[in-house]
């Protein structure tokens, strides 16, 4: 299916959208560009009607399966503008592969890695003047796949839509890199073994809102999720993977055992640490180990990882109303080093030693659209 031609319908001048004001913070997920990519699947034609068109409302049957039974998966990645007009993508193939695994978990049709790549690259090129240039700002890319056939009954869809929207997002740390305070959820869980935790699917986020609301009301930024069986082992923090650094230099992150979203940033951090000669263990770590080692001074840093924030330093955990600070609530040295290296890497300022970066500003849109 990846040889499917992309028809490009460019927006007329009167269809162009107003770009966000340069003097206001972009925030995250609030602005969308002039165009979107879309393609549709049915059993007879496979993926077809593949196009980029001016941004508009979707038409969807009120009985569409995704609206009732949750067959929806998505991805999140970014396009980065270099200092001299270069445009970069970072490890987009990992997002394509994760989308395929999410689809497979939810019994959904998927798209090939190559087709996914052509979709996001052509859309970013069509809307290249939406890639923000302010320091730390990026074009966020949101590929989405939904079951669209009208049917009330629990079975996998026969019809799907895959679409991609993009929009400028600001630097996650406009006021500088700051450690956040985390509330440990002792009751609500994010995912259970055998469930959906590994898939990037809407249900996981709907499901997390209650606990996040409790955390927000208590004045915390995010929830730390524990395992669903013993409420003991650390899983993730908010919508990020989580890392701990100990005084002896070792780093620990929970293993991917079915309940944790396999983050691209998590994988990148693990590979970078190993290249830097830092021992990084993927092993279960209990909340008790975290709290005891924080109190004894053995645990010196904790941070979350994800595409949106890149690295998010953690300054405090509150477990059963007891606050425990980490590293004097200052940004840890490894968090800072990783943040600097990874963001410089993504913006084309570090050598591409892992082969993770793809420069796309020189690609020919005609070739992408008509392979
Ligand atoms: C997307 C996501 C992550 C981070 O994944 P990245 O690929 O690093 O952006 C971690 N946890 C959850 C629950 C997520 O949805």
């Amino acid at each position: 299916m990846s040889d499917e031609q992309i028809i490009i319908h460019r927006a007329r001048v009167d269809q162009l959208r107003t770009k966000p004001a340069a003097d206001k913070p972009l925030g995250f997920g609030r602005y969308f560009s002039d165009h979107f990519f879309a393609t549709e699947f049915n059993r007879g034609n496979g993926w077809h009607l593949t196009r980029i068109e001016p941004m508009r409302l979707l038409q969807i049957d009120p009985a569409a399966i995704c609206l009732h039974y949750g067959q929806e998966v998505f991805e999140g990645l970014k396009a980065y503008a270099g200092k001299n007009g270069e445009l970069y993508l970072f490890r987009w193939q990992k997002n394509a592969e994760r989308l395929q695994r999410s689809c497979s978990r939810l019994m959904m049709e998927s798209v090939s890695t190559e087709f996914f790549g052509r979709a996001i690259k052509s859309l970013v090129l069509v809307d290249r003047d939406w890639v923000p240039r302010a320091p730390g700002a990026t074009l966020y890319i949101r590929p989405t796949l939904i079951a669209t056939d009208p049917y009330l009954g629990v079975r996998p869809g026969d019809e799907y839509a895959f679409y991609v929207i993009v929009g400028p997002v600001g630097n996650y740390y406009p006021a500088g890199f700051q450690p956040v305070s985390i509330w440990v959820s002792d009751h609500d869980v994010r995912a259970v073994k055998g469930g959906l935790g590994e898939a990037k699917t809407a249900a996981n986020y709907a499901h997390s809102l209650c606990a996040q609301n409790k955390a927000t009301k208590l004045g915390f930024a995010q929830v730390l999720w524990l395992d669903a069986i013993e409420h003991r082992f650390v899983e993730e923090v908010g919508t990020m993977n989580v890392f701990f650094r100990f005084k002896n230099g070792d780093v620990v992150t929970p293993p991917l055992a079915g309940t944790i979203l396999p983050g691209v940033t998590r994988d990148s951090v693990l590979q970078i640490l190993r290249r830097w000669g830092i021992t990084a263990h993927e092993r279960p770590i209990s909340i008790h180990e975290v709290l005891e080692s924080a109190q004894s001074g053995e645990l010196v840093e904790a941070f979350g990882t994800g595409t949106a924030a890149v690295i998010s330093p953690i300054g405090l955990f509150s477990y059963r109303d007891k606050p425990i600070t980490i590293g004097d609530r200052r940004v840890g040295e490894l968090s800072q080093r990783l943040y600097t290296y990874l963001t410089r890497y993504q913006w084309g300022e570090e050598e591409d030693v892992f082969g993770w970066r793809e420069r796309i500003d020189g690609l020919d849109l005609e070739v992408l659209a008509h392979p």
Side-chain angles (χ1 to χ4, degrees):
M1 297 308 161
S2 55
D3 56 352
E4 180 64 25
Q5 184 176 325
I6 305 171
I7 312 284
I8 299 176
H9 305 282
R10 285 195 185 258
R12 294 185 315 266
V13 174
D14 62 295
Q15 290 173 309
L16 295 178
R17 297 154 70 91
T18 312
K19 295 220 174 50
D23 57 340
K24 297 230 178 66
L26 281 171
F28 199 95
R30 295 197 287 145
Y31 301 103
F32 300 96
S33 69
D34 291 324
H35 299 87
F36 74 114
F37 170 97
T39 182
E40 288 164 36
F41 177 93
N42 64 31
R43 300 275 166 222
N45 299 314
W47 291 104
H48 63 292
L49 284 176
T50 301
R51 75 276 179 189
I52 287 173
E53 58 170 306
M55 191 59 135
R56 62 166 173 86
L57 299 183
L58 285 182
Q59 278 192 312
I60 191 161
D61 196 295
I65 287 179
C66 64
L67 300 177
H68 299 271
Y69 307 111
Q71 270 191 310
E72 188 269 7
V73 303
F74 66 93
E75 272 304 324
L77 65 163
K78 289 170 168 176
Y80 308 82
K83 287 205 172 73
N84 303 306
E86 318 92 289
L87 279 181
Y88 297 110
L89 294 178
F90 181 75
R91 305 191 77 186
W92 60 267
Q93 297 88 342
K94 298 284 285 180
N95 297 91
E97 289 159 12
R98 187 169 65 193
L99 183 83
Q100 291 154 5
R101 287 195 308 273
S102 298
C103 282
S104 147
R105 178 65 186 83
L106 275 88
M107 298 289 293
M108 296 168 68
E109 278 306 313
S110 188
V111 291
S112 71
T113 301
E114 215 250 308
F115 191 33
F116 178 99
R118 289 205 293 120
I120 61 172
K121 289 176 207 172
S122 355
L123 181 60
V124 171
L125 290 182
V126 166
D127 276 338
R128 59 199 302 162
D129 54 341
W130 281 85
V131 186
R133 316 236 150 217
T138 54
L139 189 74
Y140 186 72
I141 307 171
R142 170 52 60 90
T144 310
L145 211 151
I146 53 177
T148 51
D149 38 333
Y151 182 74
L152 296 187
V154 181
R155 61 138 173 87
D158 282 322
E159 295 170 19
Y160 293 88
F162 170 57
Y163 63 89
V164 185
I165 51 179
V166 297
V169 301
N171 187 338
Y172 210 82
Y173 299 103
F177 208 40
Q178 284 299 328
V180 293
S181 299
I182 301 295
W183 183 70
V184 181
S185 173
D186 196 23
H187 179 261
D188 292 8
V189 296
R190 194 190 84 92
V192 61
K193 277 208 169 65
L196 290 176
E198 281 183 308
K200 216 166 171 76
T201 182
N204 285 331
Y205 308 87
H207 179 70
S208 72
L209 296 172
C210 261
Q212 178 61 46
N213 186 250
K214 286 183 209 163
T216 309
K217 278 195 174 146
L218 293 168
F220 297 95
Q222 298 271 352
V223 174
L224 184 85
W225 302 103
L226 300 179
D227 79 276
I229 311 227
E230 296 182 63
H231 294 232
R232 205 154 82 84
F233 293 100
V234 172
E235 302 235 303
E236 294 201 57
V237 56
T239 58
M240 287 182 286
N241 296 116
V242 63
F243 284 76
F244 300 93
R245 181 171 76 92
F246 291 87
K247 209 155 114 191
N248 69 0
D250 286 9
V251 172
V252 173
T253 191
L256 301 177
T259 53
I260 290 176
L261 203 285
V264 177
T265 320
R266 175 187 182 279
D267 182 76
S268 306
V269 163
L270 283 171
Q271 292 196 48
I272 292 167
L273 291 175
R274 287 166 184 158
R275 194 181 165 91
W276 285 350
I278 295 171
T279 308
H281 302 280
E282 296 174 75
R283 66 152 171 91
I285 175 164
S286 72
I287 186 65
H288 309 290
E289 179 180 350
V290 170
L291 301 178
E292 281 156 26
S293 56
Q295 261 164 339
S296 71
E298 280 303 302
L299 177 65
V300 290
E301 256 181 85
F303 56 91
T305 65
T307 297
V310 192
I311 303 288
S312 181
I314 296 170
L316 179 146
F317 289 108
S318 171
Y319 180 62
R320 297 184 173 159
D321 299 327
K322 204 169 155 224
I324 309 277
T325 57
I326 313 284
D328 296 333
R329 304 186 78 168
R330 278 199 284 267
V331 174
E333 143 203 329
L334 186 65
S335 308
Q336 185 65 61
R337 185 176 174 206
L338 281 166
Y339 179 77
T340 304
Y341 181 74
L342 204 45
T343 51
R344 284 178 49 82
Y345 197 117
Q346 290 165 330
W347 265 273
E349 292 157 14
E350 292 283 346
E351 191 192 335
D352 187 11
V353 289
F354 296 98
W356 284 344
R357 207 162 53 214
E358 184 178 359
R359 186 167 171 185
I360 63 164
D361 50 290
L363 297 181
D364 186 338
L365 193 50
E366 283 304 306
V367 174
L368 285 170
H370 309 269

